Structures are given as structure tokens and as C-alpha cells.
């Protein structure tokens, strides 16, 4: 039977979770993500349960960097015990050069943020001739 009371001592999983945020304490947490190609789109999916996408999630693109910031706020409750993560979540990802950042779309459903961007044709590599200086 599982107890909701905090365990004494720290397990291996607890130690690994400490490395996901600021060392060793803080309210900044890593955001779990996956990336893949689906058809002609590059897709990023992030676990962000319990968020309000209108207020809590912010996505920005600067050059070829995608920045995702989110915040889960806790509610004050009497006799509270929680194993949820509250605070700030953030992730910065380098996007492939083939992504068309002008046409990014994001949607949030069932605690998963899905970001899709079409891939454009990548230019075939070409050799650049080197001129001899002075001639």
C-alpha cells in the first residue's frame, strides 16, 4: 500500500530529481521534452501538467533558439503535503536550420505542450572558391 506521508531518507530517484533543478535547492525545474520529425514538420513536445496556457506558458524564438518558460503556482492549503513541483520551468533548444520559425504553432492539451514548425528545403551544400589575395 502506498502512503502519502513523506518518506524518511532519500532514494536514488530523489537524488536524480535534484539534478533537474537548481543545485541543490530552488524553484527552477527542468522541463521534460521530446523532439521528432513528423511528415514535413519538426515537433517539440513538453510535459507541463496543470498549467493554464493563456497565463502560465510563454514561448519565444530568437534566431535559431526556441525558449519556453512556464510557471506553476501553488495554492495555500492547510495541512499541505505535496510531491508536485511548483515554480518556474524553462527550456532553451537549438532548432534545426531547416525549421521555418515564421510559421510556428503551439497547442496545449492534457498537460502536453506541442510545438510544430514546418521544415523548409535545406540548401544543398556548395563549395566556395578561395581567391588568391593580390591577384
Amino acid at each position: 500500500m502506498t502512503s502519502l506521508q513523506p518518506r524518511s531518507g532519500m532514494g536514488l530517484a530523489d537524488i536524480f530529481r535534484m539534478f533537474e533543478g537548481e543545485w541543490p535547492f530552488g524553484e527552477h525545474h527542468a522541463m521534460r521534452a521530446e523532439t521528432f520529425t513528423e511528415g514535413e514538420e519538426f515537433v517539440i513536445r513538453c510535459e507541463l501538467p496543470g498549467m493554464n496556457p493563456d497565463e502560465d506558458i510563454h514561448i519565444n524564438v530568437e534566431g535559431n533558439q526556441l525558449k519556453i518558460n512556464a510557471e506553476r503556482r501553488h495554492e495555500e492549503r492547510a495541512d499541505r503535503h505535496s510531491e508536485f513541483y511548483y515554480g518556474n520551468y524553462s527550456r532553451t533548444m537549438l532548432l534545426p536550420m531547416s525549421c521555418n520559425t515564421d510559421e510556428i504553432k503551439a497547442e496545449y492539451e492534457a498537460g502536453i505542450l506541442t510545438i510544430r514548425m514546418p521544415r523548409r528545403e535545406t540548401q544543398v551544400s556548395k563549395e566556395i572558391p578561395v581567391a588568391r589575395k593580390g591577384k
Side-chain angles (χ1 to χ4, degrees):
M1 184 148 117
T2 303
S3 170
L4 291 177
Q5 295 300 315
R7 293 180 292 171
S8 62
M10 197 179 257
L12 188 58
D14 299 318
I15 293 170
F16 284 123
R17 268 194 228 90
M18 283 179 22
F19 289 107
E20 291 179 348
E22 292 179 2
W23 176 258
F25 306 104
E27 290 193 8
H28 181 83
H29 308 289
M31 184 183 305
R32 297 183 185 274
E34 66 181 0
T35 61
F36 55 92
T37 302
E38 188 173 77
E40 296 299 315
E41 293 182 313
F42 181 70
V43 181
I44 300 169
R45 289 175 19 113
C46 302
E47 289 181 342
L48 291 169
M51 300 282 180
N52 177 346
D54 297 326
E55 298 174 12
D56 301 335
I57 301 172
H58 304 281
I59 304 168
N60 296 322
V61 175
E62 294 178 15
N64 67 337
Q65 288 188 349
L66 179 78
K67 296 181 180 183
I68 306 166
N69 293 299
E71 182 179 4
R72 183 181 306 131
R73 297 171 191 90
H74 69 277
E75 299 173 18
E76 291 300 324
R77 297 188 172 130
D79 298 327
R80 183 179 97 134
H81 165 75
S82 178
E83 296 179 5
F84 288 6
Y85 288 126
Y86 291 99
N88 297 310
Y89 294 76
S90 65
R91 189 76 184 252
T92 300
M93 299 180 186
L94 288 176
L95 298 173
M97 295 302 291
S98 63
C99 288
N100 184 351
T101 58
D102 294 330
E103 297 184 33
I104 294 177
K105 294 182 180 161
E107 41 184 40
Y108 180 83
E109 181 180 6
I112 303 294
L113 173 67
T114 303
I115 302 168
R116 297 179 176 275
M117 58 203 87
R119 295 179 354 174
R120 56 180 163 228
E121 292 288 324
T122 56
Q123 188 174 18
V124 178
S125 66
K126 62 180 180 178
E127 188 167 340
I128 309 298
V130 178
R132 189 176 291 243
K133 190 171 182 176
K135 292 199 175 199

